[in-house]
């Protein structure tokens, strides 16, 4: 546990209203001689802030009408603005916090400035500083409420142990007491809202996993997605198995839509206006109901190696990019996720080509996966297994970036506007955010996915062999811009059922395998 300078000094709590002392940092010129020497703020309360987060109220001054929170921020800004130039830069934070006995790493200070610096001038003016702290306090309040299981406005050692246990981390009561002592300023062995806020106010952690990293001793290492205990006990592999099983079931349930999408991407044109109804009718007429699942076997087979390779690559890239003690930010996650996806896709790409060939195959054309492999090798050689590789790799970048950015933006926006009692948005909100972000990512990368599929299908339709650029030009010339979005409807139709089925099966398999839900 951080033992030195973790708790902010008393000046952040119980700040006396400046208009009572005649020294108003924010201006106003109130006559302090007419103000009786009394408590810092009146007993009147208004919605917004309260030492007990279970109440929706705030202390306001009877004289100037400003809140306790505003005065705290003004005092803190003046303390941290070391050179008095009206802005707080990383150097100001370093010197100011050291004077207050608070230690932060350079990386942590950079995250604070970056999060609040709206005009990108490398420092926080008073307005940016207040906006950042208000937003940060709101997030801290939500986390406090999530940890306050008894809803009594205090966190005790049992609640800390339970919250960590919910994340798959088991600690002793002594360790929980150690965490409490680091934040407990009055010796009650419980943490109220003021103690919680002051402890975390100028630390960039604002969600439960990041705050737990801030608590961590060397024996409580928590990487971004999996705990050390999960990795050591084999729980990680159970989670991967559950994820692979969920992916297999969801893809099998939506396989007819997936095959229809491939057929429409390759065969639909201005002259052959295949739609959803005619496409399904054509598949059933050609090979019966069973043909709706043609190519799904390969789709299921590739899930396990793809998931395992992606996870392993992601973990290695994270180690190269940042310390184990830090969670990665959105840009770092984007880079790590994109690279991991590219590595995984490169490893299993021949399976993608086989899935497309099987999905486009006619009844009796291939007896199975191995027969398809032999057929492609004999007629086209090994290079055929990497047709469409370039547009596939290019498509990963916009898909992963937009998917992640939209998901984080939607989730954080929901928390900002609607969260009142918990920092956990709930499964329905997460499903909605995930579905929307995935849809946005697919819209951006769909033309590349269509070109990839057509390149994978070359030599099966008897058409000319074209590279990516030539194929793009050919589609635009013969079918127009809409030609790049053939098969979009069945692709989007499968998103919601695929996500929902995957989640339900994933939770069931985790429970069956003895994995505690996070």
């Amino acid at each position: 546990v951080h033992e030195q300078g973790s708790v902010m000094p008393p000046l952040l709590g119980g700040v006396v209203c400046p208009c009572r002392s005649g020294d108003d940092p924010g201006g106003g010129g109130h006559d302090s001689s007419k103000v009786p020497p009394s408590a810092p703020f009146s007993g009147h309360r208004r919605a917004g802030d309260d030492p007990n987060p279970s109440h929706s109220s705030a202390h306001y001054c009877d004289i100037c009408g400003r809140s306790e929170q505003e005065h705290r921020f003004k005092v803190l800004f003046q303390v941290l603005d070391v050179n008095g130039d009206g802005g707080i830069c990383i150097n100001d934070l370093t010197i100011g916090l050291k004077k207050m006995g608070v230690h932060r790493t350079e990386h942590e200070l950079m995250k604070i400035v970056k999060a609040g610096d709206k005009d990108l001038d490398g420092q926080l003016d008073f307005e940016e500083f207040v906006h950042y702290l208000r937003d940060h306090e709101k997030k801290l309040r939500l986390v406090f409420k999530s940890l306050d299981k008894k809803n009594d406005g205090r966190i005790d050692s049992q609640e800390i142990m339970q919250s960590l246990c919910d994340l798959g981390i088991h600690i002793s009561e002594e360790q929980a007491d150690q965490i409490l002592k680091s934040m407990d300023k009055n010796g009650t062995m419980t943490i109220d809202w003021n103690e919680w806020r002051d402890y975390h106010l100028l630390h960039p952690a604002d969600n439960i996993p990041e705050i737990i990293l801030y608590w961590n001793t060397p024996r409580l290492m928590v990487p971004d997605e999996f705990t050390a205990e999960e990795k050591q006990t084999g729980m990680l592999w159970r989670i991967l198995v559950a994820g692979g099983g969920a992916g297999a079931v969801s893809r099998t349930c939506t396989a007819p839509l997936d095959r229809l999408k491939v057929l429409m991407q390759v065969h639909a044109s201005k002259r052959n206006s295949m739609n959803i109804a005619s496409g399904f009718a054509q598949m059933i007429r050609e090979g019966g109901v069973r043909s709706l699942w043609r190519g799904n076997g390969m789709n299921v087979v590739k899930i396990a190696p793809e998931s395992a390779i992606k996870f392993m690559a992601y973990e290695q890239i994270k180690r190269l990019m940042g310390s184990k003690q830090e969670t990665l930010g959105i840009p770092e996650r984007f880079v790590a996720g994109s690279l991991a996806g590219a590595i995984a896709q490169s490893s299993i790409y021949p399976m993608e080509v086989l899935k497309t060939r099987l999905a486009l195959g006619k009844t009796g054309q291939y007896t199975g996966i191995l027969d398809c492999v032999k057929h492609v090798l004999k007629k086209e050689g090994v290079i055929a297994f990497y047709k469409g590789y370039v547009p596939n790799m290019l498509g990963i970048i916009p898909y992963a970036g937009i998917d992640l950015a939209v998901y984080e933006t939607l989730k954080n926006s929901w928390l900002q506007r609607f969260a009142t009692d918990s920092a956990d948005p709930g499964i329905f909100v997460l499903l909605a955010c995930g579905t929307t972000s995935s849809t946005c990512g697919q819209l951006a990368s769909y033309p590349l996915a269509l070109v990839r599929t057509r390149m994978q299908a070359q030599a099966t339709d008897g058409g000319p062999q074209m590279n990516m650029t030539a194929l793009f030009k050919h589609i635009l010339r013969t079918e127009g811009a809409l030609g790049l979005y053939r098969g979009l409807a069945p692709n989007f139709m499968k998103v919601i059922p695929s996500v929902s089925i995957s989640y339900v099966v994933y939770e069931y398999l985790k429970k069956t395998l003895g994995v505690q839900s996070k």
Side-chain angles (χ1 to χ4, degrees):
V1 176
H2 296 265
E3 295 177 351
Q4 294 184 346
S6 294
V7 181
M8 300 300 290
L11 68 88
L12 295 186
V15 175
V16 175
C17 177
C19 69
R20 297 179 181 274
S21 65
D23 179 21
D24 184 0
H30 299 290
D31 186 357
S32 62
S33 63
K34 298 180 181 178
V35 183
S38 57
F41 289 84
S42 73
H44 297 290
R45 297 177 183 274
R46 298 181 189 175
D49 191 18
D50 189 86
N52 184 345
S54 62
H55 303 149
S56 299
S57 55
H59 291 291
Y60 279 75
C61 178
D62 284 335
I63 307 302
C64 66
R66 284 182 289 182
S67 69
E68 174 190 3
Q69 185 188 60
E70 289 180 79
H71 292 303
R72 283 193 295 105
F73 291 165
K74 189 69 177 181
V75 170
L76 183 57
F77 183 83
Q78 290 181 328
V79 171
L80 295 176
D81 184 12
V82 177
N83 55 13
D85 64 352
I88 298 175
C89 61
I90 294 175
N91 187 55
D92 286 334
L93 279 176
T94 303
I95 298 171
L97 289 176
K98 280 184 179 178
K99 287 181 179 179
M100 297 164 66
V102 179
H103 174 71
R104 295 286 182 267
T105 66
E106 184 178 356
H107 178 78
E108 291 166 348
L109 298 179
M110 287 176 63
K111 286 182 72 174
I112 291 173
V113 173
K114 187 176 179 181
D117 185 15
K118 302 301 180 184
D119 57 9
L120 304 177
D121 63 351
Q123 63 178 5
L124 305 179
D125 59 30
F126 182 65
E127 185 178 344
E128 291 172 330
F129 184 70
V130 169
H131 185 273
Y132 168 76
L133 289 184
R134 280 181 176 158
D135 182 57
H136 195 59
E137 276 200 13
K138 182 174 181 180
K139 293 175 182 177
L140 291 175
R141 186 185 296 277
L142 292 173
V143 177
F144 184 91
K145 288 183 177 182
S146 297
L147 297 174
D148 183 14
K149 308 291 185 184
K150 300 173 186 174
N151 198 29
D152 60 358
R154 292 182 173 277
I155 300 172
D156 57 30
S157 59
Q158 293 300 316
E159 288 169 320
I160 287 179
M161 291 173 67
Q162 180 59 51
S163 298
L164 290 171
C165 185
D166 291 343
L167 290 171
I169 307 166
H170 302 282
I171 63 172
S172 66
E173 191 167 353
E174 289 75 21
Q175 288 174 309
D177 287 341
Q178 188 183 10
I179 290 172
L180 271 178
K181 287 178 183 177
S182 68
M183 289 180 270
D184 181 24
K185 291 188 286 187
N186 54 18
T188 61
M189 288 306 292
T190 59
I191 308 163
D192 62 23
W193 160 242
N194 287 328
E195 291 171 322
W196 171 266
R197 176 200 64 206
D198 292 352
Y199 185 83
H200 296 101
L201 185 61
L202 281 174
H203 189 281
D206 55 24
N207 56 61
I208 291 178
E210 285 190 348
I211 285 172
I212 288 172
L213 284 174
Y214 184 34
W215 290 345
N216 276 345
T217 65
R219 293 162 62 187
L220 287 175
M221 294 288 230
V222 188
D224 287 340
E225 280 73 37
F226 296 98
T227 68
E229 183 180 6
E230 287 170 343
K231 292 182 178 182
Q232 292 170 2
T233 61
M235 192 67 72
L236 180 155
W237 294 107
R238 291 188 225 175
I239 293 173
L240 288 177
V241 168
V249 173
S250 65
R251 292 189 188 191
T252 299
C253 291
T254 57
L257 286 167
D258 194 57
R259 187 180 180 219
L260 176 62
K261 176 196 73 175
V262 172
L263 288 172
M264 291 178 71
Q265 284 179 332
V266 174
H267 296 310
S269 64
K270 286 184 177 180
R271 288 173 293 177
N272 177 22
S273 57
M274 181 187 294
N275 55 35
I276 293 174
S278 63
F280 274 124
Q282 179 180 319
M283 285 190 288
I284 294 172
R285 186 169 55 249
E286 190 275 331
V289 174
R290 188 177 176 183
S291 69
L292 297 177
W293 279 267
R294 190 171 294 160
N296 184 59
M298 178 53 69
N299 210 14
V300 170
V301 167
K302 73 184 180 70
I303 289 175
E306 182 179 12
S307 299
I309 294 169
K310 187 185 294 184
F311 169 74
M312 292 303 177
Y314 187 61
E315 286 296 303
Q316 292 300 320
I317 293 167
K318 281 198 301 181
R319 287 194 183 95
L320 293 173
M321 293 180 66
S323 167
K324 295 180 182 179
Q325 293 289 339
E326 302 165 355
T327 54
L328 299 180
I330 288 181
E332 292 85 359
R333 285 178 183 273
F334 167 55
V335 173
S338 297
L339 289 176
I343 292 169
Q345 280 282 299
S346 299
S347 303
I348 57 90
Y349 192 77
M351 297 183 183
E352 288 279 359
V353 175
L354 288 172
K355 183 205 80 170
T356 300
R357 292 295 180 94
L358 288 165
L360 292 170
K362 296 181 179 180
T363 302
Q365 184 173 353
Y366 306 113
T367 58
I369 294 174
L370 289 177
D371 184 53
C372 184
V373 172
K374 292 176 182 177
H375 185 85
V376 173
L377 279 173
K378 183 178 179 181
K379 294 212 166 183
E380 304 170 63
V382 176
I383 196 171
F385 290 106
Y386 283 90
K387 285 186 176 180
Y389 177 80
V390 173
N392 184 69
M393 291 298 105
L394 293 176
I396 287 176
I397 297 173
Y399 178 83
I402 292 171
D403 187 16
L404 181 60
V406 171
Y407 178 80
E408 290 290 336
T409 302
L410 290 176
K411 185 183 74 172
N412 290 334
S413 296
W414 189 93
L415 286 172
Q416 287 290 314
R417 294 190 179 191
F418 304 109
T420 56
D421 297 317
S422 174
D424 180 10
I427 182 56
F428 292 109
V429 173
L430 293 179
L431 279 176
C433 293
T435 301
T436 305
S437 63
S438 178
T439 300
C440 292
Q442 288 189 43
L443 269 174
S445 61
Y446 194 83
L448 287 164
L450 181 137
V451 170
R452 175 203 67 190
T453 303
R454 290 208 181 179
M455 291 179 73
Q456 289 174 342
Q458 285 178 355
T460 64
D461 56 5
Q465 305 288 306
M466 289 184 278
N467 60 29
M468 182 181 73
T469 305
L471 193 51
F472 257 119
K473 291 179 179 178
H474 175 75
I475 294 171
L476 288 172
R477 185 175 63 254
T478 59
E479 303 175 49
L482 287 178
L484 294 171
Y485 288 89
R486 302 283 182 194
L488 189 64
N491 184 66
F492 280 170
M493 284 175 65
K494 73 174 186 174
V495 170
I496 294 178
S498 178
V499 171
S500 302
I501 293 168
S502 182
Y503 173 77
V504 171
V505 176
Y506 179 60
E507 289 300 316
Y508 172 77
L509 289 175
K510 281 205 302 181
K511 185 177 180 180
T512 303
L513 294 168
V515 179
Q516 188 171 19
S517 293
K518 294 188 179 182

